[in-house]
Amino acid sequence: MATLPPSLAIRAYCLKCGTSESSKLSPTCHYICRNQIRYGFEKINLERKLVCEEIAQTVGKTSYQRLDSKVYATSRVFIEETEQRVATITEAEDLERASTYLFWTEDGGQVKVSVRKKNVKYAVYIEVSSLQLQSSYDRLVLSWGMYRADSSCFMPLDVRSSVPDSRTTTRETPFMHTASGRLVLDLEFEAKQIPFYLSFVVKPSLGSDPSSSEIEIRSHRKTNFCVPVGFNRGYPSPLGLSFSSDGSMNFAIFTRNTESVVLCLFDDTTADKPTLELDLDPYVNRSGDVWHASFESAWTFVSYGYRCKGPLLQRNEDQFDAGKILLDPYAKIIGNSAPSSDGSRSVLKYLGRLCEEPAFDWGDDVHPDLPMEKLVVYRVNVKHCTQHNSSQLPTDVAGTFSGLTEKLQNFKDLGLNTILLEPIFSFDEKKGPYFPCHFFSPMNLYGPSGGSVSAINSMKEMVKKLHANGIEVLLEVVFTHTAAEGALQGIDDLSYYRVNGVADLEATNSLNCNYPIVQQMILDSLRHWVTEFHVDGFCFINASSLLRGFHGEYLSRPPLVEAIAFDPLLSKTKIIADCWDPHDMLPNETRFPHWKRWAEMNTKFCNEMRNFWRGKGLLSDLATRLCGSGDIFSDGRGPSFSFNFVARNFGLSLVDLVSFSNDTLASQLSWNCGEEGPTDNITVLQRRLKQIRNFLFVLFVSLGVPVLNMGDECGQSSGGSPSYTDRQPFDWNVLQTGFAVQTTQFVSFLSSFRMRRGDLLQKRNFLKEENIDWHGSEQSPPRWSDPSCKFLAMTLKADKVESPLSSESSHLKGDLFIAFNAADCSESVILPPPPDRMSWRRLVDTALPFPGFFSTNGEPVLEQMAGLVVYEVKPHSCALFEASSLISN
């Protein structure tokens, strides 16, 4: 490296009176155009006045006056001076924006450099003091050069000389002596030459002593002095691109193991190469492990990125590309990706946009803040939801956040109050949304115009409208791994990724999410989505990997999970752990630490419900899931922390779950109901229809939060493929089919019934023992561990409430009787006696034909004998009864 400046200090200017000195001539350099330099002498008025009253008279005559105090040195012990200036109001404003750098030399001297904007030019003032020099060195010169993209290579300068086409990269400018013993000079540069770094050393003039040509005064680190001109050192916080009230912008990026960071600026979004590159100085533009720089304005530049250099940046040195331009991990607005050729292969290039996030009028938007036990969740893929032509939306709206908003009424008709969006972060389009490239902005293609700003505004409008209709918005997020390219690779792999020899983690681009800087990035991202987009919560995909440390070991108290649980902002949102791994398409079951804040996607509910309805489960497992999975959530949480599902966006869809079962689908726990795949067999079709009803029914009557997957309400199929990539866009025409009509109506009924009987089905706490009775087949107690038993019924008893008008207890709501029969034969069940002055009414029988298999008001059940009600529960079906008042009947 050619420039490694020493420790520095930025100091403010003071307005004071001082001593007087005589005027001097100081050499200055004027840049006239990009390729020409001329030299001359500019008279700089250094005269000082001793009396403060004379300042007013002097201000009117001189616009730039410097009052210097003296520095005394003995045995290399120095007293730092305070720079004093007298300036007009206009100049004082300029001085406030000046940047001053103080360096130490190898022998203990000081070099002070001030850089400020002077009208349309930039002035650099350099002052040297307290040097330990031989008396023969009566004259010093500044040997300087400029660089941008490469600190080891100065920019060539065209000089007006008698030699045609002469070019040089460095110049020497003599210092002038002041009466106080300091050496000073001024350089002046045209604005069109900035930004650049001025790199220099101080050395004796060649005329002083022939041997002096080998002597150079450098920093105490034995490197060149270096200062930025036309931009500032910037600030290490906040990370990413930030804007000040005066319009200036600050760039900051974390990378610990890099040797060099180059800031790349583009003035054309389609350009393959940057218009300007700045090789950030490791001592001026670095604080700890954060590299930073700031600009008063971005000129005509529209986007930016970084190049990072160093042998420790990437895990695989064979794939390391030092020329690759990398996206700022904290960029809030991302330009559309463009192909970038690196000579051997074509990769996508993502760049941050040089603009602030657009202002948005949230109006009176408020979070619905629904209690967890009241949620009814619908998982949606933004693109697939309205991409199909059947959505009848304009081309620029279909497949976007705006398109999803247009289908709001369909969500309300299903009785849903929560939308769970599949990952919307920028992602690898070949791999899908579960392989993100970035964490702070929505995917551009989800905006009506396909741009980042369009996507941001469209999403905010969507959230605002959903909130206005009482619907919460949750995001599925992936923070455990990234896409193989275009993400954080190359910035600092040793910090961001697990690179410690754990093969399964390295192969999947696993993020080191419990490493402090990665943890900070994740927390910042989550807070950004809550504050800027008003989302109501998050579902963390592959959450079991959040528990792993740097070496792949499982942590009992993972820092990130704990930090989210106790974060003042995030802890007030809904946070859900989903241990499904997008790589092997399977859930990783683990005991998740929760601090009574984390909910979980209940994989056991899914597996054991599938097993029961294919005739291979235990009654004990069924009962445990119906009652809220106490084996998982009785540790200080409750059933409302269980997010239940029977099908999701990976694996088999609901209709495929009852249509396909073969050796390759063994892990799906499916049953084809007698024939594989599509069929015209009426018996098989009727059995499949009952099974779909059964799955939906058990999902809504179990304690916990029901999660319905997009398309399952209308029989969306992937042809028996469990692969996520085989999922098809939602076909809105299918909603007109007989199956979709009855299924959507059934879901709407279940949502409404669940809300109406929230006293028993939407409980935050587990049912008390006295509130539930269990019934087995043949009127006997359930044989919990007998795999041959496939019938179970239960009575849910409503709590008795004292009547305000009577001392007698009265029922505000009746009991529920629910029966489940997974056997191949019918089961006759005797319903228990209803409460006083009440009778049983059948609300659901999944074996009956549509429209009679469910009823909002219920059908009365006839007594075969006085006080005795017997009901036949058909094979592979469910039945629901509610006790209601005789008066209402």
Side-chain angles (χ1 to χ4, degrees):
M1 300 291 288
T3 58
L4 296 174
S7 57
L8 53 89
I10 295 180
R11 301 164 54 196
Y13 294 101
C14 305
L15 182 62
K16 295 182 180 180
C17 300
T19 60
S20 63
E21 294 183 3
S22 58
S23 300
K24 299 291 183 180
L25 291 178
S26 178
T28 183
C29 172
H30 298 273
Y31 276 71
I32 305 303
C33 62
R34 285 185 180 272
N35 301 317
Q36 293 182 335
I37 305 175
R38 67 179 177 83
Y39 277 76
F41 286 93
E42 175 185 353
K43 185 174 182 179
I44 299 181
N45 189 354
L46 299 176
E47 186 170 351
R48 306 292 183 260
K49 303 297 182 179
L50 292 173
V51 184
C52 291
E53 287 79 6
E54 298 182 23
I55 293 177
Q57 303 173 11
T58 309
V59 166
K61 299 178 182 179
T62 61
S63 60
Y64 185 84
Q65 302 187 9
R66 184 178 295 110
L67 284 72
D68 297 312
S69 62
K70 293 186 180 295
V71 177
Y72 299 91
T74 303
S75 301
R76 298 178 64 180
V77 177
F78 303 97
I79 301 174
E80 289 195 10
E81 46 88 17
T82 301
E83 187 169 359
Q84 302 173 352
R85 290 182 181 270
V86 177
T88 64
I89 294 177
T90 302
E91 186 178 346
E93 293 175 352
D94 289 339
L95 292 177
E96 289 179 359
R97 293 193 295 268
S99 296
T100 302
Y101 306 88
L102 179 63
F103 302 92
W104 293 99
T105 66
E106 294 178 85
D107 63 354
Q110 289 185 357
V111 176
K112 181 168 63 179
V113 184
S114 295
V115 181
R116 70 184 181 92
K117 189 174 182 180
K118 185 179 180 182
N119 297 323
V120 295
K121 299 180 180 180
Y122 282 80
V124 179
Y125 169 74
I126 302 176
E127 180 183 294
V128 180
S129 60
S130 304
L131 294 180
Q132 304 294 322
L133 299 174
Q134 299 180 20
S135 59
S136 59
Y137 300 155
D138 57 349
R139 189 179 181 190
L140 294 181
V141 297
L142 187 82
S143 178
W144 58 273
M146 304 185 304
Y147 73 85
R148 285 177 180 161
D150 189 349
S151 60
S152 63
C153 181
F154 287 157
M155 298 162 52
L157 305 174
D158 292 343
V159 183
R160 290 182 177 177
S161 67
S162 58
V163 182
D165 300 326
S166 64
R167 296 171 66 84
T168 183
T169 58
T170 61
R171 280 296 169 190
E172 293 185 355
T173 305
F175 281 94
M176 301 302 294
H177 288 270
T178 68
S180 60
R182 284 182 287 262
L183 301 167
V184 299
L185 64 78
D186 283 273
L187 301 176
E188 195 171 90
F189 303 91
E190 295 290 339
K192 58 186 175 182
Q193 286 297 306
I194 56 95
F196 61 86
Y197 281 97
L198 177 66
S199 179
F200 63 89
V201 296
V202 178
K203 63 181 183 180
S205 173
L206 292 177
S208 302
D209 186 344
S211 63
S212 65
S213 61
E214 300 179 357
I215 298 177
E216 292 183 338
I217 300 172
R218 299 178 181 272
S219 73
H220 75 288
R221 296 177 180 269
K222 298 180 172 52
T223 60
N224 285 22
F225 303 99
C226 179
V227 293
V229 179
F231 66 106
N232 299 313
R233 71 185 304 263
Y235 307 96
S237 180
L239 291 173
L241 175 65
S242 57
F243 293 83
S244 300
S245 58
D246 60 0
S248 62
M249 57 183 63
N250 188 77
F251 300 83
I253 183 174
F254 168 90
T255 171
R256 170 170 296 170
N257 296 291
T258 188
E259 293 179 355
S260 174
V261 173
V262 179
L263 175 62
C264 303
L265 300 172
F266 295 76
D267 60 10
D268 185 351
T269 56
T270 62
D272 185 55
K273 295 182 179 180
T275 308
L276 175 67
E277 299 182 49
L278 288 174
D279 190 353
L280 301 184
D281 186 83
Y283 295 103
V284 173
N285 297 105
R286 182 176 184 175
S287 298
D289 297 322
V290 178
W291 299 68
H292 44 80
S294 65
F295 294 85
E296 291 185 2
S297 64
W299 301 285
T300 60
F301 301 117
V302 295
S303 55
Y304 74 103
Y306 295 95
R307 282 196 177 106
C308 297
K309 304 175 183 178
L312 299 178
L313 291 179
Q314 285 206 341
R315 295 160 286 175
N316 191 336
E317 295 185 5
D318 296 335
Q319 297 180 357
F320 179 72
D321 180 10
K324 185 177 181 180
I325 297 177
L326 307 171
L327 174 65
D328 178 4
Y330 274 76
K332 304 302 189 300
I333 301 179
I334 300 178
N336 288 325
S337 59
S340 175
S341 176
D342 62 0
S344 60
R345 55 194 173 93
S346 180
V347 297
L348 289 179
K349 176 183 65 184
Y350 296 91
L351 297 173
R353 295 296 302 274
L354 286 172
C355 59
E356 295 186 75
E357 290 184 86
F360 184 79
D361 182 12
W362 283 101
D364 56 357
D365 177 72
V366 294
H367 294 273
D369 198 22
L370 301 174
M372 198 109 78
E373 63 272 15
K374 302 293 184 182
L375 301 184
V376 179
V377 181
Y378 187 72
R379 183 187 282 108
V380 178
N381 179 290
V382 174
K383 182 179 180 180
H384 285 178
C385 182
T386 59
Q387 181 186 23
H388 199 274
N389 292 335
S390 60
S391 67
Q392 298 182 345
L393 295 176
T395 304
D396 61 335
V397 175
T400 67
F401 294 117
S402 299
L404 190 147
T405 307
E406 292 294 324
K407 300 299 181 180
L408 172 62
Q409 189 58 47
N410 294 82
F411 303 144
K412 296 177 67 175
D413 290 344
L414 289 173
L416 310 170
N417 58 22
T418 304
I419 297 296
L420 174 61
L421 298 180
E422 291 184 14
I424 60 170
F425 298 169
S426 297
F427 58 82
D428 182 348
E429 293 188 50
K430 295 180 179 179
K431 295 283 288 183
Y434 292 94
F435 297 87
C437 297
H438 196 62
F439 304 103
F440 286 88
S441 63
M443 189 70 175
N444 288 358
L445 61 84
Y446 291 161
S449 66
S452 185
V453 173
S454 171
I456 290 172
N457 286 332
S458 178
M459 179 177 175
K460 291 179 178 179
E461 287 286 358
M462 177 199 71
V463 173
K464 182 179 179 180
K465 190 168 184 179
L466 290 174
H467 281 180
N469 285 271
I471 299 177
E472 292 195 336
V473 179
L474 309 181
L475 300 184
E476 284 190 338
V477 292
V478 182
F479 288 114
T480 57
H481 61 272
T482 67
E485 286 187 339
L488 300 170
Q489 295 91 348
I491 296 177
D492 189 349
D493 285 16
L494 291 182
S495 296
Y496 284 107
Y497 292 94
R498 292 192 178 98
V499 291
N500 50 10
V502 183
D504 63 319
L505 298 179
E506 289 192 30
T508 56
N509 295 283
S510 179
L511 280 177
N512 191 11
C513 52
N514 283 303
Y515 191 69
I517 190 64
V518 183
Q519 176 181 325
Q520 177 189 338
M521 179 188 70
I522 295 172
L523 292 172
D524 288 343
S525 170
L526 295 171
R527 296 182 189 118
H528 176 72
W529 290 102
V530 174
T531 57
E532 295 298 323
F533 292 88
H534 291 201
V535 301
D536 303 283
F538 306 92
C539 179
F540 293 77
I541 301 299
N542 197 18
S544 59
S545 288
L546 297 177
L547 313 182
R548 305 185 78 165
F550 180 71
H551 298 286
E553 74 281 11
Y554 281 95
L555 307 173
S556 60
R557 296 187 63 175
L560 175 61
V561 174
E562 185 172 5
I564 294 173
F566 291 101
D567 185 87
L569 177 64
L570 302 177
S571 62
K572 305 305 179 184
T573 66
K574 295 171 175 66
I575 48 179
I576 309 152
D578 187 345
C579 293
W580 170 63
D581 186 350
H583 292 96
D584 56 22
M585 306 295 289
L586 293 173
N588 294 321
E589 294 187 12
T590 185
R591 195 75 176 179
F592 200 87
H594 54 81
W595 288 277
K596 299 181 181 181
R597 283 292 304 117
W598 283 82
E600 296 180 45
M601 282 289 175
N602 194 342
T603 303
K604 281 190 174 181
F605 180 94
C606 173
N607 292 341
E608 292 175 5
M609 287 303 175
R610 290 184 181 188
N611 261 333
F612 176 78
W613 286 114
R614 67 177 186 154
K616 297 185 178 181
L618 296 177
L619 297 184
S620 58
D621 294 334
L622 173 64
T624 300
R625 304 308 150 210
L626 289 171
C627 293
S629 298
D631 57 333
I632 303 174
F633 301 100
S634 61
D635 52 357
R637 290 181 286 180
S640 63
F641 287 81
S642 173
F643 279 63
N644 303 329
F645 65 97
V646 291
R648 57 176 304 163
N649 51 347
F650 72 92
L652 295 177
S653 65
L654 182 57
V655 71
D656 289 348
L657 187 64
V658 299
S659 304
F660 297 89
S661 57
N662 51 58
D663 292 340
T664 60
L665 298 175
S667 63
Q668 297 295 313
L669 307 178
S670 59
W671 178 46
N672 61 19
C673 297
E675 290 188 15
E676 186 72 4
T679 181
D680 294 328
N681 189 313
I682 299 299
T683 302
V684 172
L685 291 175
Q686 289 178 343
R687 189 178 296 133
R688 289 177 179 178
L689 182 60
K690 285 193 297 182
Q691 288 288 79
I692 290 174
R693 295 172 179 175
N694 293 338
F695 278 122
L696 292 173
F697 176 77
V698 76
L699 180 64
F700 278 83
V701 299
S702 298
L703 292 185
V705 177
V707 180
L708 189 65
N709 200 56
M710 182 184 75
D712 284 346
E713 75 276 19
C714 62
Q716 193 94 353
S717 173
S718 297
S721 171
S723 174
Y724 174 84
T725 57
D726 290 332
R727 289 297 173 102
Q728 301 299 313
F730 191 94
D731 186 350
W732 291 89
N733 289 330
V734 176
L735 288 177
Q736 308 304 318
T737 63
F739 172 82
V741 169
Q742 61 174 289
T743 305
T744 53
Q745 289 184 14
F746 187 43
V747 171
S748 179
F749 161 78
L750 291 173
S751 298
S752 177
F753 175 74
R754 180 180 173 85
M755 182 69 67
R756 181 169 66 83
R757 294 312 311 265
D759 60 314
L760 292 174
L761 303 179
Q762 292 182 328
K763 297 184 67 66
R764 192 168 187 85
N765 300 313
F766 291 101
L767 289 167
K768 298 177 182 178
E769 188 174 352
E770 58 266 24
N771 288 118
I772 186 168
D773 288 334
W774 297 102
H775 315 276
S777 59
E778 300 178 354
Q779 320 309 317
S780 61
R783 297 196 295 274
W784 298 112
S785 300
D786 187 348
S788 65
C789 293
K790 301 175 183 179
F791 175 85
L792 182 68
M794 63 179 182
T795 303
L796 299 181
K797 301 177 182 179
D799 288 326
K800 295 181 180 180
V801 180
E802 292 296 328
S803 171
L805 302 178
S806 172
S807 59
E808 297 180 359
S809 61
S810 63
H811 284 275
L812 296 180
K813 294 182 180 180
D815 297 345
L816 299 179
F817 183 84
I818 310 174
F820 310 91
N821 185 15
D824 294 327
C825 56
S826 298
E827 181 76 27
S828 294
V829 59
I830 300 177
L831 275 64
D836 293 341
R837 296 187 296 276
M838 287 189 173
S839 64
W840 291 112
R841 300 181 71 87
R842 188 193 72 230
L843 300 183
V844 175
D845 185 343
T846 60
L848 297 177
F850 177 76
F853 77 93
F854 68 92
S855 173
T856 302
N857 297 322
E859 298 294 330
V861 182
L862 299 179
E863 296 182 358
Q864 278 72 18
M865 298 175 59
L868 184 64
V869 176
V870 179
Y871 193 85
E872 182 182 2
V873 182
K874 300 294 193 298
H876 307 292
S877 69
C878 303
L880 168 65
F881 304 85
E882 181 181 25
S884 59
S885 172
L886 290 173
I887 299 177
S888 63
N889 292 339

